[in-house]
């Protein structure tokens, strides 16, 4: 391959590093109304009265909208394919508020100063209601968070809203109780992962306006342009044909922008006033009034024989969806379905879950999407099992891990066609020097160096759900236009799709113009989430390129007065096989543009019945201070099987960033609330994420399998890379100290107290 599998620079690299106006705020017209939202100070309350008379007299105020002014159509903000599995449990503005930060009123004015002044003058009378802040107390609580009559689900999700259960389900394969009786060793522990903020650099922002046809135009930093169109049409109760969504460059998303967060408020203002409107979330608002990772408590029961052969796995996940059900029914499923298949040879498995409502900010999508939480729990349990059996944790994995050719019951009975997980483990051990360093080494200064390990898997799109379309056109002068509906959010999908096109049609990258997403112009794509773009959109691209090649050969043969059997195309020209004649791609394009032939363009779609999992092994070396419990990361090694690597440079950056995020989840990040339900750490002063100095030396390598159902043999890489740090670090802490930390984040205080308790 000439272009695929090469580390080519991002197509938008120069625009970004030179500060070109490419982001939403850069593109918004100056005359936009400034939009802000007055939010609830209470975790649970009913609005009895809103007085906005004085606020409306502030000079420059255009409108103040309350629940009396907003549509009464319930919807979900989750960016998922229709019919969404998430419940329709929201209104744009409701007379009941369910968390501190829930919208109460939308204020729009000519400038920010006027809007902020008006917000202070709005008088709201509340009836405070009891709140549920501990999600373990939600089921069958006397407080019912969603008591509305028009609450709606599109299909059964195990929903019992009067019991505060958003979703529930059970999966079982084999006789779990029987297999546990036959095990020599059984461990049963509960692991607790906390809510985390996505912490992308660009906060939520949207501007809206009406075009000359009276259609609502939305320019927004979003991962899901086509879902935004549908969700806003539902919420505003207008036809989808009246909504257009445009996605410019995005300054990071990590799942946060798979939910409609900022779009709905300026859209309603524009619909009410007819004027363009702009809303930009500040950092505090982004923390307090968007979505987070789902907090989960996961109970794992694991059984094995004396040789370390895992016979039975039983997992129960309790997940906190917060005040609303965005992504709640789907995220939880991955905690089991994308962790248990790693140990596919277990004779019996069971997975149960409940997703519950509470009076905290709603949870949503975050890179890893539930698999991250499940990986921490199950991989930690496997490490504890290895310790109980006095086995090397890499050895217990080697003898139990899933292999290519196996059918995976816990992974929706999918056949595993490609897997280099065993090679990832072997390479990772060599890169970190596992055999020399395991389990630990006393440094003689009160510090211990140790290593830890974990492995993981993810998916490549959502099988039988995700769909992507790609359009390619040959233009006069012979260059190609690539139209996609996939949203590049900094990941480089515009680049890797251009690489695939260049490889398929044997042209230069400079011969390709790739367009951003515009729902009026771009072909349909479900969006950039679920690690789908490389795999699903990539296959749609290859189908389209095949059609383009056919058309070029047909039109070239016609121009040369030959049959299609007598010519071929090498990317630059159509030529006679006998060498007698040829026509360049450029000349052919001009000839067609002059009316001699038909225009060359093609649009193809792809939806896959499969979601081939990428795999990763993560190994970490730490230094632990036995007196304080403080740990320092020395080295982190990640070895990834993502099939064929389309762009090694971008893939490596994806992996390094994901590992750093995973380290943040493991050691630092923890959204917490006070007794009144107000988030305590809603700025980067209180909410800590790791810097480059905190993650040690990160080494990323690849062991590529070949996925026959993917483009050029590729699978995904976007999410799998965040999953291993938490369990690997917990394992390293155990190897250094002898204590297991089962609640994230793993702090020095927790380690030191556990060590003291152990000594006692």
């Amino acid at each position: 391959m000439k272009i695929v599998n090469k580390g080519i620079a991002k197509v938008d690299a120069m625009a970004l590093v030179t500060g070109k106006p490419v982001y939403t705020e850069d593109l918004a017209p100056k005359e936009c109304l400034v939009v802000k939202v007055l939010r609830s100070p209470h975790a649970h309350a009913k609005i009895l009265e809103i007085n906005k008379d004085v606020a409306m007299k502030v000079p420059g105020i255009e409108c103040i909208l309350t629940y009396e002014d907003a549509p009464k159509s319930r919807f979900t903000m989750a960016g998922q394919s229709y019919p969404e599995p998430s419940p329709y449990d929201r209104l744009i503005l409701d007379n009941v508020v369910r968390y501190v930060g829930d919208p109460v009123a939308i204020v729009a004015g000519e400038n920010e100063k006027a809007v902020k002044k008006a917000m202070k003058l709005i008088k709201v009378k509340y009836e405070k209601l009891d709140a549920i802040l501990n999600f373990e107390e939600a089921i069958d609580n006397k407080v019912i968070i969603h008591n509305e009559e028009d609450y709606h689900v599109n299909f059964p999700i195990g929903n019992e809203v009067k019991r505060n259960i958003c979703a529930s389900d059970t999966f079982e394969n084999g006789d779990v109780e029987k297999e546990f009786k036959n095990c020599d060793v059984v461990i049963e522990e509960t692991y607790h992962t906390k809510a985390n903020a996505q912490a992308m650099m660009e906060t939520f922002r949207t501007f809206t306006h009406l075009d000359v046809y009276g259609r609502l135009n939305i320019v927004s930093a979003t991962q899901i342009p086509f879902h935004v169109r549908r969700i806003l049409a539902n919420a505003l109760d207008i036809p989808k044909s009246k909504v257009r969504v445009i996605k410019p460059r995005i300054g990071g998303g990590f799942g946060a922008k798979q939910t409609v967060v900022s779009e709905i408020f300026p859209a309603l203002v524009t619909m009410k006033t007819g004027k363009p409107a702009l809303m930009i979330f500040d950092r505090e608002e982004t923390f307090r009034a968007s979505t987070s990772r789902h907090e989960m408590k996961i109970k794992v029961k694991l059984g094995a024989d004396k040789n370390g052969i895992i016979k039975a796995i039983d997992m129960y996940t309790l997940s906190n969806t917060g005040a609303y059900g965005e992504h709640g029914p789907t995220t939880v499923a991955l905690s089991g379905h994308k962790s248990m298949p790693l140990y596919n040879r277990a004779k019996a498995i069971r997975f149960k879950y409940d997703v519950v409502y509470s009076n905290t900010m709603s949870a949503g999508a975050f890179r890893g999407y539930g698999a991250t939480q499940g990986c921490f729990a199950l991989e930690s349990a496997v490490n504890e099992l290895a310790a109980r059996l006095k086995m090397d944790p890499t050895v217990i994995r080697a003898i139990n891990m899933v292999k290519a050719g196996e059918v995976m019951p816990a992974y929706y009975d999918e056949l595993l066609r490609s897997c280099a997980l065993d090679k990832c483990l072997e390479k990772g051990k060599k890169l970190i020097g596992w055999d020399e360093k395991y389990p630990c080494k006393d440094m003689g200064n009160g510090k211990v160096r140790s290593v830890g390990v974990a492995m993981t898997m993810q998916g490549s799109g959502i099988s039988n759900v995700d769909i992507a379309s790609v359009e390619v056109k040959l233009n006069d002068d012979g260059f190609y236009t690539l139209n996609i509906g996939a949203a590049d959010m900094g990941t480089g999908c515009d680049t890797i799709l251009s690489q695939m096109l260049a490889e398929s049609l044997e042209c230069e990258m400079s011969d390709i113009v790739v367009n951003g997403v515009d729902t009026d112009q771009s072909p349909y794509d479900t969006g950039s989430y679920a690690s789908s773009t490389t795999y699903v959109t990539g296959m749609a691209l290859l189908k389209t390129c095949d059609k383009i090649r056919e058309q070029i050969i047909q039109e070239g043969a016609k121009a040369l007065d030959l049959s299609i059997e007598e010519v071929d195309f090498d990317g630059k020209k159509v030529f006679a096989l006998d060498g007698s004649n040829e026509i360049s791609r450029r000349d052919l394009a001009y000839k067609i543009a002059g009316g001699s032939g038909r225009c060359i363009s093609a649009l193809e779609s792809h939806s896959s019945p499969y979601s081939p999992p990428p795999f990763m092994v993560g190994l970490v070396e730490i230094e632990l201070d036995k007196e304080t419990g403080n740990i320092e990361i020395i080295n982190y090694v990640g070895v990834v099987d993502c099939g064929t690597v389309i762009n090694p440079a971008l893939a490596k950056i994806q992996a390094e960033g994901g590992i750093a995020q995973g380290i943040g989840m493991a050691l630092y990040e923890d959204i917490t609330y006070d007794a009144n339900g107000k988030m305590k750490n809603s700025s980067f002063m209180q909410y800590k994420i790791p810097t480059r100095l905190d993650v040690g030396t990160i080494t990323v390598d690849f062991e590529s399998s070949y996925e026959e159902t993917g483009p050029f043999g590729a699978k995904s890489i976007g999410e799998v890379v965040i999953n291993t740090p938490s369990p690997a670090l917990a394992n390293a802490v155990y190897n250094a100290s002898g204590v297991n930390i089962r609640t994230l984040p793993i702090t020095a205080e927790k380690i030191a107290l556990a060590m003291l308790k152990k000594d006692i």
Side-chain angles (χ1 to χ4, degrees), residues 4 496-504 534 538 541-542 646 711-712:
V4 164
I496 63 168
L497 292 170
S498 296
Q499 284 182 257
M500 292 185 201
L501 189 153
E503 187 74 45
S504 299
T534 298
L541 174 64
L542 296 196
I646 302 297
F712 300 101

Side-chain angles (χ1 to χ4, degrees), residues 495-512:
T495 304
I496 63 168
L497 292 170
S498 296
Q499 284 182 257
M500 292 185 201
L501 189 153
E503 187 74 45
S504 299
L505 296 180
E506 300 175 88
C507 67
E508 301 297 324
M509 291 283 286
S510 57
D511 295 331
I512 302 166

Side-chain angles (χ1 to χ4, degrees), residues 40 90 126 140 240 378 407 436 440 485 616:
S40 169
R90 273 193 184 266
Y126 297 96
D140 295 325
K240 294 174 184 62
L378 184 54
V407 173
E436 298 79 40
C440 64
M616 178 176 172

